[in-house]
């Protein structure tokens, strides 16, 4: 496979983990840009990045860069994705890929027109465990999937300035953690839900602090989801079929699941991959997608963004920049 050069936009928390993964997978990091140059320089020094750019256009116009990784907060994803695609770069963007489906569909159209790969850095679509669970379900081991129950509770420290609670930065539980729960559910459903009911509780800054979401698709499969940013809950997903169920703990980056056969109660452990390599798998899949000219996870990303947009429409919650 061709050696790909990556350029990183945004050198914050997750970019540091990503840089470690990129060094492991590719051995080198080509370029990085951050809106505050000094921060990019410190990052480059730490992760041995070859080029640092003083402005975004210089990074985007560098002909040696094949792939852009976007790790800015949610509110800035759309702008970075569109600019990178228009500069003819493939894009791997952090979750949630955009803040609504209109932004995403516009980006997908530009990517298609220019034969570029646009992928969301959603661990669930790339962890080996999920590929194995999909095969198990497709083989009929647990019978037809009927119900998916999935929670995400994260007790974020009270700080109205943190991106988690900032409406200007498209914070809130739905886009930050609900995107994982929805991705988990969509991954195991036969089709995208077309019925949805939900209620939420707002935080004092106007972002969604917690919510309950129930979904159903045309195949009669249902999802029950509970999200909160102010109380710890086990990150647990359960996929229940007519003949058994699969439990996945810490599902955003899981390498282990338990399958219980309901007929006699016996259990089977399923192990695949390594939880510490979550971002490595994304990089490998992104490079493979470019090589193959096709990314099977994009449709899942589109379905999830459509659902997240419908949830917010029902709440009547609009970000200030939308
Ligand atoms: N995949 C995962 O496991 C995972 C985990 C955590 C987060 N994430 C996602 O990754 C993204 C970033 O999260 P984070 O926790 O890394 O955030 P962070 O630590 O706040 O870093 C954000 C970076 O983006 C830059 N930035 C902020 N606003 C910008 C703007 N308007 N234009 C250009 N650059 C901007 C910041 O620059 P300055 O510091 O110089 O202002 C900073 O370097 C989010 O979408 C989040 O959901 C993914």
């Amino acid at each position: 496979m061709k050696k790909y050069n990556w350029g990183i936009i945004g050198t914050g928390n997750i970019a540091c983990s990503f840089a470690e993964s990129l060094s492991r997978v590719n051995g080198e990091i080509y370029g990085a840009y951050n809106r505050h140059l000094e921060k990019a320089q410190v990052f480059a020094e730490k992760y041995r990045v070859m080029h640092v750019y003083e402005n975004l256009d210089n990074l985007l116009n560098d002909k040696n860069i094949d792939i852009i990784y976007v790790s800015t907060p949610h509110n800035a994803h759309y702008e970075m994705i569109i600019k990178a695609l228009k500069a003819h770069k493939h894009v791997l963007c952090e979750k949630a890929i955009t803040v609504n489906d209109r932004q995403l569909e516009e980006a997908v159209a530009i990517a298609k027109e220019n034969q570029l790969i646009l992928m969301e850095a959603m661990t669930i679509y790339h962890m080996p465990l999920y590929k194995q669970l999909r095969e198990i379900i497709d083989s009929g081991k647990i019978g037809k999937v009927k119900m998916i129950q999935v929670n995400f509770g994260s007790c974020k420290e009270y700080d109205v300035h943190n991106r988690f609670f900032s409406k200007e930065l498209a914070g809130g539980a739905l886009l930050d953690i609900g995107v994982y729960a929805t991705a988990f559910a969509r991954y195991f459903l036969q089709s995208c839900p077309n019925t949805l009911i939900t209620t939420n509780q707002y935080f004092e800054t106007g972002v969604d602090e917690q919510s309950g979401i129930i979904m159903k698709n045309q195949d009669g499969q249902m999802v029950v989801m509970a999200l909160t940013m102010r109380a710890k809950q086990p990150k647990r997903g359960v996929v229940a079929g007519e003949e058994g169920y699969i439990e996945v703990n810490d599902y955003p980056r899981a390498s282990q699941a338990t399958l219980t056969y309901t007929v006699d109660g016996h259990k089977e452990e399923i192990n695949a991959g390594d939880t510490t390599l979550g971002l490595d798998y994304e990089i490998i899949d992104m490079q493979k997608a470019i090589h193959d000219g096709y990314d099977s996870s994009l449709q899942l990303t589109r379905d999830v963004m459509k659902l997240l947009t419908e949830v917010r429409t029902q709440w009547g919650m609009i970000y200030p920049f939308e």
Side-chain angles (χ1 to χ4, degrees), residues 128-196:
L129 178 73
Y130 285 96
K131 293 173 186 177
Q132 195 158 323
L133 294 180
R134 184 74 265 170
E135 281 171 23
I136 288 171
I137 287 171
D138 290 348
S139 75
K141 266 189 167 181
I142 65 164
K144 185 182 174 186
V145 170
K146 301 295 289 181
M147 175 66 79
I148 296 173
Q149 195 189 330
V150 59
N151 296 341
F152 201 136
S154 176
C155 195
K156 306 285 188 205
E157 209 178 307
Y158 181 90
D159 175 2
V160 292
H161 303 296
N162 190 298
R163 73 171 177 82
F164 301 125
F165 298 112
S166 162
K167 211 170 174 187
E168 286 71 28
L169 301 184
L174 186 72
L175 282 195
D176 201 68
I177 56 179
V179 67
Y180 284 115
T182 314
F184 178 92
R186 178 64 193 96
Y187 192 81
F188 294 110
L189 291 170
Q190 275 170 238
S191 57
C192 186
N194 52 3
T195 306
L196 193 156

Side-chain angles (χ1 to χ4, degrees), residues 10-15 34-36 39 71-77 80 94-96 121 163 176 180 253 279:
T11 54
N13 285 326
I14 194 67
N34 194 71
R35 62 181 176 173
H36 298 109
K39 190 169 164 179
S71 63
T72 57
H74 306 149
N75 64 310
H77 288 179
M80 299 302 168
E94 265 310 329
K95 44 59 65 171
R163 73 171 177 82
D176 201 68
Y180 284 115
R253 291 196 197 184
L279 306 185

